[in-house]
Amino acid sequence: MLTFRLMIELINYLNDLLWGYIVIAMMVACALYFTVRLRAVQFSMMGEMWHLLTHSTKKTSRLKDTMEAGYATAADEQEKKSISPFRAFAVGLSSRVGTGNLAGVASAIFIGGPGAVFWMWVMALLGASSSFVESSLAQLYKRRDAKAGVYYGGPAYYMQYGMHKRWLGIIFAILITLSYSLATQLIQSKTMADAFSVSIDMAMGNTPGTSTLWVGVAVTVATALIIFGGIQRISRFAALVVPVMAIGYLLLALYVIITNLSAVPRVLETIVSSAFGFGQAAGGMVGMAVMQGVKRGLYSNEAGEGTVPNAAAIAETSHPVKQGLLQALGVFCDTIIICTCTAFIVIISGLYTGSEDGILLTQSALEQEMGPAGRYFLTAAILLFAYSTIIAGYFYGETNIRFIFGTNAAHGGSNRKETVAIFIFRLATAGVILAGAMMTLQDSFAIVDLLMALMTVTNLVAIVWLSPRVVVMLNDYRRQRREHKDPVFSKSVLLAEQRKDIECW
């Protein structure tokens, strides 16, 4: 136990160095650079983002009707096997919309004050450009698994095939597997265990914490049922669950905000004054607010972190920019809409100055505003939020394990080493989920923050390096849209040396 505490103290020290001097500066600089270089793509093409989302949803629905009617062609059969842009968007959003929106936002306010919310907004508005770049690159350098009929890709792939630095891709693949696919599961599991055990123990009259272990076991089993089914089952699960959980939580938050409408101006004033240190109470909190806002904002929306590109790469689409735009939209949906809902609930309650942190704070805030029904409603929401993030996190790890073991997807799928590694990874995922239920939230966040910092720095270097290709792709997309075309990409628009190792275009 003493060794574990010393390890956590060392990790916290490294986190202070990385987040205080390197990561935040790099994130802001890159986001500003991409915003200027791409002519504010995250704002100027917002209408196009919504158009793409609704178009891909209708296309998926039409394909389903065709298959059920029994007159599908061979091309329809192949399209059914492929992953639609909407399902790829849903997988990406399922990783973003998780406990970071519930426990992470509450924890940021608890530690950094209400001002942390303002800096979450700022980083989301600017960071959406980083998400656009990394997701477009993931599409450009994706690889096709000929046996399974699906695509794989992500930062490790564009580091190898775009930068021609496989060693950097392997480093990133290891970091994302340890960070998002294992360490982050600690937080998801802990959040679910806390929420469910409190609700169950209160209902049954047990001592608080009695059911924590059993909740962890149940989540572990439920996760195994999905992850052993492969990406098709994962993407179908995400496409079904994400819209339901997001809309349900938004309706809940809107109810709280509408019933406390007179408090909204006070909440906004509190957020802004705390963000800039106005007032005696907020004066010493500015640095902490910035750090917590950026860290928890990144943990929630993942813009520039390098996780969502793994989901962006799986889509079957006619132009890489389409998936880049959809994933940039995901940043807005996550932070500007869903995280803001949690922030308003917590700040309206005033309970953030107490002793409760994370999901317990959000639960107490909802219970104060809605009565016991609020706690139980949030418990159900946590099941969907955290569970969907666990599933998406597992998929990101599997994608990068495939990369590490060097599968040539174009020539027949996996090899024996990869198959064994993925099986071991599935078991490790289950073990981490079970262990996470028993850890403290801040210890879990410390481990995740360190790995997330290293992963983000590695990815930002890569996307800045490769961003000139995204500029060319975006200009090509805009030109075709001005000509009233549905954009179709050809790698011929790139320079000859940039076309090397682009397989799917």
Side-chain angles (χ1 to χ4, degrees):
M1 188 65 181
L2 180 60
T3 303
F4 178 76
R5 293 313 317 163
L6 289 174
M7 182 188 74
I8 294 296
E9 289 179 13
L10 175 61
I11 289 174
N12 283 325
Y13 173 76
L14 293 174
N15 279 331
D16 290 340
L17 290 178
L18 286 169
W19 287 100
Y21 299 97
I22 299 175
V23 182
I24 292 178
M26 286 186 66
M27 288 178 62
V28 172
C30 289
L32 287 172
Y33 171 72
F34 292 140
T35 298
V36 173
R37 190 74 178 85
L38 300 170
R39 292 181 289 164
V41 62
Q42 70 269 42
F43 306 122
S44 63
M45 300 192 73
M46 179 65 73
E48 181 71 5
M49 295 176 191
W50 287 106
H51 167 75
L52 289 171
L53 181 62
T54 55
H55 176 75
S56 64
T57 305
K58 291 176 181 176
K59 182 177 179 181
T60 301
S61 178
R62 288 196 302 269
L63 175 62
K64 181 180 178 182
D65 293 342
T66 299
M67 301 303 298
E68 290 177 350
Y71 50 84
T73 65
D76 290 329
E77 292 286 352
Q78 179 57 44
E79 188 172 357
K80 182 184 179 182
K81 187 181 290 186
S82 66
I83 308 298
S84 71
F86 174 74
R87 282 166 63 180
F89 170 79
V91 173
L93 193 59
S94 70
S95 72
R96 287 187 168 115
V97 180
T99 57
N101 303 83
L102 302 174
V105 173
S107 186
I109 296 172
F110 176 74
I111 298 174
V117 179
F118 178 86
W119 298 111
M120 289 178 70
W121 290 341
V122 171
M123 284 311 304
L125 292 172
L126 295 176
S129 62
S130 300
S131 185
F132 169 79
V133 172
E134 62 185 357
S135 297
S136 298
L137 287 170
Q139 268 288 317
L140 182 62
Y141 291 103
K142 66 186 179 182
R143 289 308 193 252
R144 185 175 182 83
D145 186 326
K147 184 177 180 180
V150 295
Y151 294 106
Y152 288 97
Y157 292 81
Y158 54 68
M159 288 172 190
Q160 174 170 341
Y161 298 111
M163 299 174 69
H164 304 110
K165 299 184 183 299
R166 177 168 171 77
W167 62 269
L168 187 63
I170 290 176
I171 290 174
F172 181 86
I174 293 171
L175 286 172
I176 191 173
T177 302
L178 292 175
S179 173
Y180 204 85
S181 303
L182 291 177
T184 299
Q185 311 294 42
L186 297 172
I187 296 173
Q188 311 304 323
S189 178
K190 175 62 177 176
T191 301
M192 279 196 285
D194 280 351
F196 273 83
S197 63
V198 168
S199 297
I200 292 172
D201 292 337
M202 285 180 61
M204 299 182 66
N206 296 332
T207 303
T210 302
S211 60
T212 299
L213 176 60
W214 296 112
V215 171
V217 171
V219 174
T220 302
V221 172
T223 300
L225 293 175
I226 296 293
I227 66 177
F228 277 87
I231 181 54
Q232 289 286 349
R233 186 179 297 177
I234 291 171
S235 65
R236 284 194 296 268
F237 173 83
L240 174 66
V241 168
V242 169
V244 173
M245 70 180 186
I247 292 172
Y249 186 66
L250 284 176
L251 292 174
L252 174 70
L254 284 173
Y255 170 80
V256 174
I257 293 171
I258 290 173
T259 55
N260 292 273
L261 205 57
S262 61
V264 171
R266 174 181 59 82
V267 171
L268 292 172
E269 181 184 0
T270 301
I271 290 172
V272 174
S273 63
S274 179
F276 293 98
F278 301 147
Q280 182 178 358
M285 293 289 291
V286 177
M288 187 62 72
V290 173
M291 185 175 295
Q292 287 298 315
V294 174
K295 281 200 297 186
R296 295 297 158 252
L298 178 62
Y299 174 72
S300 180
N301 64 50
E302 304 171 29
E305 186 182 78
T307 50
V308 171
N310 295 274
I314 69 177
E316 178 80 52
T317 187
S318 66
H319 202 294
V321 165
K322 289 184 176 182
Q323 194 58 210
L325 291 171
L326 281 173
Q327 297 302 345
L329 178 63
V331 175
F332 292 117
C333 293
D334 174 89
T335 304
I336 304 302
I337 298 177
I338 301 177
C339 285
T340 299
C341 287
T342 299
F344 272 57
I345 291 171
V346 170
I347 297 173
I348 285 172
S349 74
L351 297 177
Y352 59 90
T353 58
S355 60
E356 289 187 312
D357 187 10
I359 197 61
L360 298 179
L361 172 56
T362 309
Q363 279 186 314
S364 296
L366 263 181
E367 187 171 15
Q368 176 174 294
E369 300 303 321
M370 297 182 64
R375 176 178 293 274
Y376 293 118
F377 189 100
L378 186 62
T379 300
I382 290 165
L383 170 63
L384 299 179
F385 275 59
Y387 189 53
S388 67
T389 304
I390 286 174
I391 299 304
Y394 164 79
F395 168 66
Y396 294 168
E398 179 180 313
T399 298
N400 285 276
I401 287 174
R402 289 176 181 272
F403 175 85
I404 292 170
F405 285 89
T407 296
N408 188 339
H411 293 88
S414 61
N415 56 48
R416 180 172 176 78
K417 287 184 179 180
E418 178 188 298
T419 301
V420 172
I422 289 175
F423 180 77
I424 293 173
F425 174 61
R426 287 170 175 169
L427 295 179
T429 298
V432 167
I433 291 170
L434 186 58
M438 312 306 293
M439 289 182 63
T440 68
L441 182 65
Q442 292 307 322
D443 286 348
S444 299
F445 266 128
I447 297 170
V448 170
D449 284 344
L450 178 60
L451 292 168
M452 187 169 65
L454 297 172
M455 184 173 67
T456 302
V457 168
T458 306
N459 184 59
L460 289 176
V461 169
I463 62 177
V464 170
W465 183 306
L466 296 170
S467 61
R469 302 171 200 202
V470 179
V471 174
V472 173
M473 290 192 294
L474 180 58
N475 289 338
D476 174 66
Y477 188 91
R478 282 171 163 156
R479 176 187 59 79
Q480 293 190 55
R481 289 298 289 157
R482 285 195 299 269
E483 296 171 357
H484 306 289
K485 297 178 180 178
D486 182 12
V488 176
F489 179 71
S490 170
K491 63 182 178 182
S492 62
V493 301
L494 297 171
L495 298 175
E497 63 269 20
Q498 295 176 340
R499 299 173 204 160
K500 186 179 180 182
D501 290 328
I502 295 178
E503 180 181 280
C504 298
W505 301 97

